[in-house]
Amino acid sequence: MFVPLSLSEIVSFKTWMTQHNKHYSSEEYSYRLRTFIQNKRKVEEHNSGQHSYRMGLNQFSDMTFSEFKKLYLLREPQNCSATRGNHVLSMGPYPDFVDWRTKGNYVTPVKNQGGCGSCWTFSTTGCLESAIAIKTGKLLSLAEQQLVDCAGYDENGIVDAVARLNPVSIAFEVTDDFFQYEGGVYSNSNCDSTPDKVNHAVLAVGYGVQNGTKYWIVKNSWGPEWGLNGYFYIIRGKNMCGLAACPSYPIPLL
């Protein structure tokens, strides 16, 4: 059923356009306005309930999720069920909190992959940048064409690698409530946990516990304006949205 737009919603859209330097043709304006309002209402409905994370308006709020997927997510699901790793778990114990951003100059600034569906290359180069910095003390910004190998298995292995070695590249399934994430610990009961459904690659730079909830600290590639200055938290220990399906990290031979 058609729901009329309020004046305040139209004002919000124009304010958002100015904030994000958006310009439309007269033909496109109406469509983007209504898409924005639909996203805004979804954000407000979500935030009025009891959830572990918040949603918010961002630079993608004039897009449908279908449009967003075509531009920013992997074209085909990254099925890595055949991946074999050589990571060997240590005996621990592991610290309760790890964040490589606070350990030193080991994580490069958040980048923006743009609309080319190249998240996997940004994830892997981010991982390699950190591994090299930890080993040599030099933080380099590498080209996204330089890919890496060496995979792990489950979240225990990811914890072990992040705690002892360096950040780890992971992948998961992005659904329509994630691209407007704003803060908190993300979880979703509707996403899949199988490796054939993951569609976005990111970088786990640490982990912690918030109000009894274990979470990963993850670097995204949608620019520093998105989420928590380009980062997000996601529930740890439940293979949320398949994040344990495709972990990998490099071992730089330097």
Side-chain angles (χ1 to χ4, degrees):
M1 182 176 66
F2 173 75
V3 178
L5 307 183
S6 69
L7 177 60
S8 63
E9 287 177 325
I10 296 173
V11 170
S12 294
F13 179 59
K14 291 183 176 180
T15 301
W16 176 89
M17 284 180 60
T18 300
Q19 179 184 356
H20 294 280
N21 195 30
K22 297 281 185 172
H23 303 279
Y24 310 108
S25 66
S26 56
E27 294 81 10
E28 187 180 20
Y29 177 85
S30 179
Y31 173 74
R32 293 302 168 193
L33 168 62
R34 294 190 180 280
T35 302
F36 173 87
I37 298 305
Q38 288 175 350
N39 284 327
K40 183 174 184 294
R41 290 175 180 177
K42 182 175 181 178
V43 166
E44 291 169 346
E45 180 181 4
H46 173 89
N47 290 345
S48 66
Q50 297 295 318
H51 300 282
S52 61
Y53 70 99
R54 302 182 308 281
M55 294 175 67
L57 299 174
N58 57 34
Q59 67 267 42
F60 308 123
S61 295
D62 63 343
M63 302 171 67
T64 66
F65 183 60
S66 178
E67 291 172 326
F68 179 84
K69 282 201 301 184
K70 291 179 181 178
L71 287 174
Y72 291 95
L73 302 182
L74 295 171
R75 301 294 190 265
E76 298 293 335
Q78 182 69 31
N79 190 346
C80 48
S81 57
T83 297
R84 295 291 181 267
N86 55 12
H87 180 78
V88 179
L89 287 173
S90 73
M91 299 300 294
Y94 308 115
D96 294 331
F97 179 81
V98 173
D99 187 344
W100 281 99
R101 296 174 299 176
T102 65
K103 285 176 173 284
N105 193 29
Y106 297 138
V107 181
T108 56
V110 172
K111 300 178 183 180
N112 192 334
Q113 69 181 59
C116 58
S118 58
C119 57
W120 191 263
T121 61
F122 280 81
S123 172
T124 51
T125 53
C127 190
L128 184 56
E129 288 165 350
S130 293
I132 292 174
I134 292 164
K135 191 173 183 67
T136 68
K138 298 178 181 179
L139 183 62
L140 307 175
S141 182
L142 303 178
E144 274 59 47
Q145 289 78 14
Q146 296 170 299
L147 303 182
V148 294
D149 201 353
C150 300
Y153 288 121
D154 56 21
E155 285 190 79
N156 290 330
I158 303 173
V159 168
D160 183 80
V162 170
R164 293 192 301 113
L165 302 174
N166 46 250
V168 171
S169 176
I170 60 175
F172 69 111
E173 184 193 16
V174 170
T175 56
D176 63 358
D177 61 346
F178 180 76
F179 78 115
Q180 295 197 112
Y181 167 92
E182 186 178 59
V185 180
Y186 178 77
S187 66
N188 187 336
S189 60
N190 297 319
C191 61
D192 286 295
S193 60
T194 55
D196 60 309
K197 295 297 177 66
V198 299
N199 59 10
H200 186 51
V202 288
L203 185 68
V205 302
Y207 61 80
V209 180
Q210 183 178 87
N211 299 323
T213 300
K214 296 179 180 179
Y215 65 90
W216 292 107
I217 304 170
V218 187
K219 181 184 180 184
N220 204 351
S221 57
W222 296 340
E225 299 83 15
W226 181 88
L228 297 168
N229 298 317
Y231 287 78
F232 66 96
Y233 298 160
I234 187 169
I235 283 184
R236 172 167 57 96
K238 297 184 178 180
N239 190 25
M240 182 57 59
C241 300
L243 65 82
C246 305
S248 64
Y249 65 91
I251 303 175
L253 301 177
L254 299 175

